[in-house]
Amino acid sequence: MSKLPRVSGRQCVKALGKARFYLKRQEGSHMILRRDDPFAQVVVPDHRELDGGTLRAIIRQAGLGVDEFIKLM
């Protein structure tokens, strides 16, 4: 298992976009992304740097592995 990279919320959204996620809506500083097939929805905070636990939860909810996420970066 690879070490988690240090990324901002916007970098995370850009990487998830490569995994067929799109911005559904934004509420304050939280961006809600959705993928239709297979269905998945994740909330990404628009922060300068995401905490490790938050990023790990986003990756898990997206149905990806850490290595897969790093390749999308």
Side-chain angles (χ1 to χ4, degrees):
M1 187 169 174
S2 298
K3 186 176 178 181
L4 281 174
R6 290 297 198 181
V7 298
S8 69
R10 292 184 189 255
Q11 289 172 319
C12 181
V13 168
K14 189 174 179 180
L16 290 173
K18 295 177 185 176
R20 298 181 296 137
F21 280 85
Y22 61 92
L23 184 66
K24 180 72 175 168
R25 65 183 186 276
Q26 183 167 350
E27 295 180 15
S29 66
H30 290 81
M31 299 174 280
I32 292 88
L33 289 95
R34 180 177 283 179
R35 178 180 62 200
D36 293 326
D37 189 34
F39 180 79
Q41 184 168 301
V42 296
V43 178
V44 180
D46 189 10
H47 297 164
R48 287 188 191 170
E49 188 174 302
L50 298 177
D51 283 339
T54 303
L55 181 57
R56 191 173 300 280
I58 290 168
I59 292 170
R60 187 179 329 109
Q61 290 170 8
L64 302 171
V66 175
D67 294 328
E68 291 175 278
F69 182 77
I70 291 171
K71 287 179 186 175
L72 293 173
M73 294 294 295

